Amino acid sequence: MQLKDVLDQPGRRLPVLIGERELDRPLRSSFTTDLLDPGRYLVGGEMVLTGLMWRREPADSEVFVENLARAGIAALGAGEGLLGTIPDDLVEACRRHALPLFAVPADVSFREITERMATVLWAEREAAALAARSRHRGLIAALTSGARLSEVWPAVGGWTIGSSGRILAGGRLPEAPRLASAFLTAESLPAAASIDGRLYRIEGLAGVPRVGGRFVASLSPEGMDELVSLAALDLARVESARQVERRLAAQLVGSLDAEEPCAAALRACGLDPDAPHVVLVASLAAGPAGALLEEVTDGAVAELEDTAVAVVPDRPGLLAALREDAHRMSAATRITVGVSRTAPTPRALAGALTEARHAHAYALDRPGRSRVVACDELASHDLLLAGVPAVTRRAFADRLLEPLVAYDSRNGSELVRTLEAFLACDGSWTRCASVMHVHVNTLRYRIRRISDLTGRDLDQFADRVDFHLALRLRR
């Protein structure tokens, strides 16, 4: 809204005394006052209306106008009702400070002027809303015609971001990972996040889970509804395409389970049969994990009954990136992922799927909220144990170690700790006694007590292996 728009409204003419060439100044609001110094109540850009009650002598005009100019107002409207005309000292003060001045005739109320401003403001807002609706319809038409979201996204300081921190539309934003963390941990949405002195508004998409989902971030609430609707429309389009991709991925995983040739299934999923691949198996504490793998990988993702499986092209840094993404998203739920070794050929993928499942089973028993375990990080016996049902593993460890745990609890002894140290020292009496800071005779007594309680002989290799595995399972 500009000053000339208000002055040109139908009604009595408001004569401009100073500033005929500055009528294009933008107006924010109106403010009526008869204070000599109203500066503390002004923020700049106002049209100030005054009945001149503050004027006691000509010198007051300079004080009054100087205070208005310092506050950065847009224009001054002076009423003629008190003095009959606008005093020359006020006109000259406005001229010195380059402040537009117009006269308000005695039969024109200040209310009429504020109503003129409201009329102009309403017309501008209506025009802006019509333009926004027209623009939005054009963007939707472009999206439904096949344009990418990043191609139609308005340049308004807003972004669509995945829950891993990946920017989907809106340009570069270094704060995206921290905004993703704020999105995942917000108690409710919409939410606000202050990062490096800038306040962002964060809004999720209706019906979309946070882990593996996406959200909209903006520096201004203006246009937020438009951005959210564009992001939701694009996601609906993506989900429609993913339904086909998931069916093809399920067929690929089925061929791996059946150990059938899978080169054709790889091609159907857009994967190169001649390239090396890695298999991932993932689950969440609550909800399906397919969206998580689709968010953090560029492979084929199948949603199975209890887990999601992804076959992804192998690349440097894959495991590190996966761990970083899982750590960030674990703020919202516990995440478990098993990662296979690299499968150099399609024939090796069936074994890679088995490895990933074993690594996933092993990871389920690990502590923490983000548990990403790579198969080649595990010892061979860890992989064997991962294939054994969890109930069986726990029963084995409890049956072998429970007598020692109970004895330690009753007597305040350290038989379990002594057993761990003895095995870590490869059965060396002197090394173990040194590590435990006890005499060798004390160590021999403790080892003999362990044998008596468990019926096992630590001089026997097989019994040492059983103890080692039981202690591993107990951690």
Side-chain angles (χ1 to χ4, degrees):
M1 177 171 52
Q2 295 179 332
L3 176 59
K4 64 181 179 181
D5 297 327
V6 177
L7 298 180
D8 289 345
Q9 284 290 302
R12 283 291 306 274
R13 180 174 173 272
L14 305 175
V16 178
L17 307 179
I18 297 296
E20 283 280 2
R21 298 181 179 179
E22 298 184 63
L23 301 185
D24 57 353
R25 286 193 176 190
L27 295 180
R28 293 172 51 129
S29 60
S30 66
F31 183 80
T32 301
T33 184
D34 275 308
L35 296 173
L36 185 60
D37 182 8
R40 73 186 72 178
Y41 305 109
L42 303 171
V43 296
E46 295 94 344
M47 172 195 291
V48 172
L49 304 174
T50 180
L52 304 180
M53 297 293 292
W54 47 265
R55 186 178 180 276
R56 296 289 183 267
E57 57 183 4
D60 288 344
S61 292
E62 174 64 23
V63 175
F64 180 71
V65 173
E66 183 179 7
N67 289 330
L68 297 184
R70 187 183 299 114
I73 74 163
L76 173 63
E80 296 179 333
L82 180 65
L83 302 178
T85 59
I86 306 303
D88 292 340
D89 46 87
L90 180 59
V91 175
E92 291 304 315
C94 288
R95 192 189 312 280
R96 281 193 297 272
H97 291 278
L99 181 64
L101 170 66
F102 63 92
V104 181
D107 57 349
V108 176
S109 68
F110 288 166
R111 178 180 177 181
E112 179 181 333
I113 299 174
T114 57
E115 288 176 349
R116 290 188 185 191
M117 290 186 66
T119 299
V120 174
L121 183 60
W122 180 87
E124 287 185 349
R125 288 178 176 173
E126 185 66 17
L130 288 172
R133 286 195 290 270
S134 176
R135 182 181 68 251
H136 189 56
R137 284 194 294 269
L139 296 178
I140 289 176
L143 269 180
T144 53
S145 298
R148 300 177 62 179
L149 180 64
S150 58
E151 295 172 343
V152 304
W153 191 256
V156 293
W159 297 265
T160 296
I161 305 171
S163 57
S164 67
R166 180 167 57 101
I167 297 175
L168 304 175
R172 183 175 177 273
L173 182 64
E175 298 88 347
R178 286 186 284 174
L179 286 171
S181 296
F183 164 69
L184 290 165
T185 57
E187 291 185 4
S188 61
L189 295 170
S194 179
I195 299 178
D196 295 338
R198 299 207 293 179
L199 185 64
Y200 294 86
R201 178 183 170 89
I202 298 173
E203 179 69 88
L205 306 184
V208 178
R210 296 197 196 186
V211 175
R214 60 176 67 180
F215 65 98
V216 174
S218 178
L219 290 168
S220 170
E222 297 295 329
M224 191 65 165
D225 291 343
E226 177 186 18
L227 300 183
V228 170
S229 65
L230 285 176
L233 177 62
D234 180 68
L235 180 60
R237 184 180 63 172
V238 169
E239 282 295 316
S240 177
R242 280 178 176 172
Q243 295 302 319
V244 177
E245 295 171 357
R246 289 165 184 161
R247 285 196 294 271
L248 293 173
Q251 293 173 8
L252 170 60
V253 173
S255 69
L256 299 183
D257 273 327
E259 298 186 2
E260 298 173 349
C262 62
L266 284 169
R267 290 192 190 93
C269 293
L271 300 173
D272 182 3
D274 297 325
H277 293 85
V278 171
V279 179
L280 312 177
V281 174
S283 64
L284 305 180
L292 164 70
L293 293 182
E294 288 168 342
E295 166 72 15
V296 301
T297 71
D298 54 357
V301 179
E303 192 77 66
L304 305 184
E305 184 175 351
D306 299 318
T307 61
V309 176
V311 179
V312 302
D314 190 20
R315 58 177 174 81
L318 172 64
L319 183 60
L322 180 62
R323 283 196 166 121
E324 182 179 351
D325 291 337
H327 175 72
R328 180 176 299 111
M329 287 187 279
S330 67
T333 187
R334 182 178 297 168
I335 295 173
T336 306
V337 184
V339 185
S340 76
R341 295 183 178 90
T342 300
T345 64
R347 182 175 296 179
L349 281 172
L353 175 58
T354 300
E355 290 179 346
R357 282 174 170 160
H358 285 334
H360 175 265
Y362 178 84
L364 284 172
D365 289 335
R366 306 307 296 163
R369 294 179 61 84
S370 175
R371 305 171 296 187
V372 180
V373 174
C375 179
D376 55 10
E377 296 174 324
L378 301 179
S380 58
H381 62 265
D382 288 328
L383 285 176
L384 291 173
L385 290 173
V388 177
V391 173
T392 304
R393 282 180 276 149
R394 283 194 295 270
F396 169 76
D398 290 344
R399 184 172 62 253
L400 191 54
L401 298 178
E402 181 56 32
L404 307 183
V405 173
Y407 185 87
D408 284 346
S409 178
R410 289 193 307 269
N411 300 281
S413 54
E414 295 184 308
L415 295 186
V416 174
R417 179 168 171 263
T418 300
L419 176 61
E420 289 176 323
F422 187 72
L423 294 175
C425 293
D426 298 323
S428 170
W429 297 96
T430 55
R431 283 170 49 202
C432 183
S434 176
V435 169
M436 296 288 296
H437 303 291
V438 297
H439 194 275
V440 172
N441 289 339
T442 301
L443 177 61
R444 290 185 183 279
Y445 169 78
R446 291 182 180 179
I447 296 299
R448 187 165 59 251
R449 199 80 190 97
I450 290 172
S451 296
D452 292 341
L453 291 169
T454 62
R456 301 297 186 103
D457 185 355
L458 280 166
D459 287 334
Q460 300 298 317
F461 176 75
D463 286 343
R464 286 191 188 183
V465 170
D466 283 350
F467 276 126
H468 174 76
L469 294 178
L471 289 169
R472 272 301 269 208
L473 293 172
R474 186 171 174 268
R475 293 175 185 170

